């Protein structure tokens, strides 16, 4: 069973800064099945990126996904106040699994 | 716009059965290429996939929960359901229903979630 490890656990940044979130798989995975979600307190997760690099509907272009093999990255080019949240990566092999999450907090 | 809404018992006693229903708006439950899933999140923790069901009725469950889980679909009512038996305090969580795109397997629409507490 694949394990997804997200780092860092917490990222402290200021609005306007660039955020780089990592998701590392315990073995090579297909980028076809790598997705990213954003979750704010008291809300359901929201799909941001699927297929490692495809933005979901209505997701701003400051969010971008990249990576392949075992290493995947979610980048937020310039943090807006509404971007401070928890972010999860998700893979499918042989069933859906989630990483432990990265919290992006205001510095 | 697709919408999902969970409902069910919010307090369940240990050893009993947790039962939840998710109503899907419109006729989306018959959509080809999608399945319908349950995911849970213990308070302050991460996400755990429970299982999913196709409109055909085929089901797939998380191996760690498989012996206790049943997911069913009622297309006439545009809803699907979750039953989790022999619950313990470890099953206390927010339970989400969601739609799954099955080519690239991602969760594109989610319900708002329902907190279920297991306590005597």
């Amino acid at each position: 069973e694949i394990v997804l490890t997200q780092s860092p656990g917490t990222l402290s940044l200021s609005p306007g800064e660039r955020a780089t979130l990592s998701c590392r798989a315990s073995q090579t995975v297909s980028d076809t099945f790598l997705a990213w979600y954003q979750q704010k307190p008291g809300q359901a997760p929201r799909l941001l990126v699927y297929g490692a690099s495809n933005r979901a509907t209505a997701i701003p272009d400051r969010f971008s996904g990249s990576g392949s093999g075992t290493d995947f990255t979610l980048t937020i080019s310039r943090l807006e106040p509404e971007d401070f949240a928890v972010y999860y990566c998700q893979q499918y092999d042989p069933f859906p699994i989630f990483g432990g999450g990265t919290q992006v907090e205001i510095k | 716009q697709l919408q999902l809404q969970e409902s069910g018992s919010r307090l369940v006693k240990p050893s009993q059965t947790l039962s939840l229903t998710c109503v899907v708006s419109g006729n989306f439950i018959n959509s080809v290429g999608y399945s319908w899933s349950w995911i849970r999140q213990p308070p302050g923790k991460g996400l755990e996939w429970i299982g999913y069901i196709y409109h055909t009725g085929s089901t797939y469950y998380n191996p760690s929960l498989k012996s206790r889980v049943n997911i069913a679909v009622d297309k006439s009512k545009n809803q699907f359901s979750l039953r989790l038996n022999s619950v313990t305090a470890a099953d206390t969580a927010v339970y989400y229903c969601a739609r799954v795109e099955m080519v690239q397997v991602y969760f594109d629409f989610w319900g708002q979630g329902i907190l279920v507490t297991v306590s005597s």
Side-chain angles (χ1 to χ4, degrees), chain A residues 33 37 39 43-44 88 90 95, chain B residues 41 49 96 103 105 107 111:
Chain A
F33 302 124
Y37 302 83
Q39 187 178 34
Q43 296 185 17
Y88 293 96
Q90 175 244 318
F95 54 84
Chain B
Q41 185 173 37
W49 172 72
Y96 296 100
V103 174
V105 194
F107 303 87

Side-chain angles (χ1 to χ4, degrees), chain A residues 72-84:
Chain A
F72 298 87
T73 300
L74 177 71
T75 302
I76 311 171
S77 59
R78 288 179 57 85
L79 282 164
E80 297 288 341
E82 62 267 28
D83 299 336
F84 291 92

Side-chain angles (χ1 to χ4, degrees), chain A residues 29-92:
Chain A
V29 298
S30 170
D31 57 358
T32 297
F33 302 124
L34 197 287
W36 289 93
Y37 302 83
Q38 175 194 68
Q39 187 178 34
K40 298 179 181 179
Q43 296 185 17
R46 176 176 71 144
L47 176 69
L48 297 176
V49 169
Y50 62 93
S53 61
N54 302 288
R55 270 189 302 276
T57 302
I59 300 304
D61 60 7
R62 64 180 181 273
F63 291 92
S64 63
S66 63
S68 64
T70 60
D71 293 310
F72 298 87
T73 300
L74 177 71
T75 302
I76 311 171
S77 59
R78 288 179 57 85
L79 282 164
E80 297 288 341
E82 62 267 28
D83 299 336
F84 291 92
V86 179
Y87 293 82
Y88 293 96
C89 59
Q90 175 244 318
Q91 176 57 240
Y92 167 73

Side-chain angles (χ1 to χ4, degrees), chain B residues 40-43 45 48 65 68 84 86-93 95 116 118:
Chain B
R40 70 180 183 178
Q41 185 173 37
K45 297 187 178 181
E48 180 181 35
L65 298 169
R68 300 194 291 131
L84 179 67
S86 304
V87 298
T88 70
D91 295 310
T92 293
Y95 286 76
V116 179
V118 178

Side-chain angles (χ1 to χ4, degrees), chain B residues 27-70:
Chain B
N27 194 34
F28 290 101
I29 205 157
N30 289 305
S31 300
V32 176
Y34 296 92
S35 68
W36 303 92
S37 188
W38 290 96
I39 300 125
R40 70 180 183 178
Q41 185 173 37
K45 297 187 178 181
L47 300 162
E48 180 181 35
W49 172 72
I50 298 171
Y52 45 58
I53 187 166
Y54 287 92
H55 66 91
T56 59
S58 298
T59 53
Y60 299 88
Y61 301 130
N62 188 319
S64 68
L65 298 169
K66 187 175 182 178
S67 63
R68 300 194 291 131
V69 173
N70 181 263

Side-chain angles (χ1 to χ4, degrees), chain A residues 12-18 78-80 84 105-107:
Chain A
S12 298
L13 294 168
S14 300
E17 289 193 294
R18 182 184 186 90
R78 288 179 57 85
L79 282 164
E80 297 288 341
F84 291 92
E105 66 175 23
I106 299 176
K107 187 174 182 180

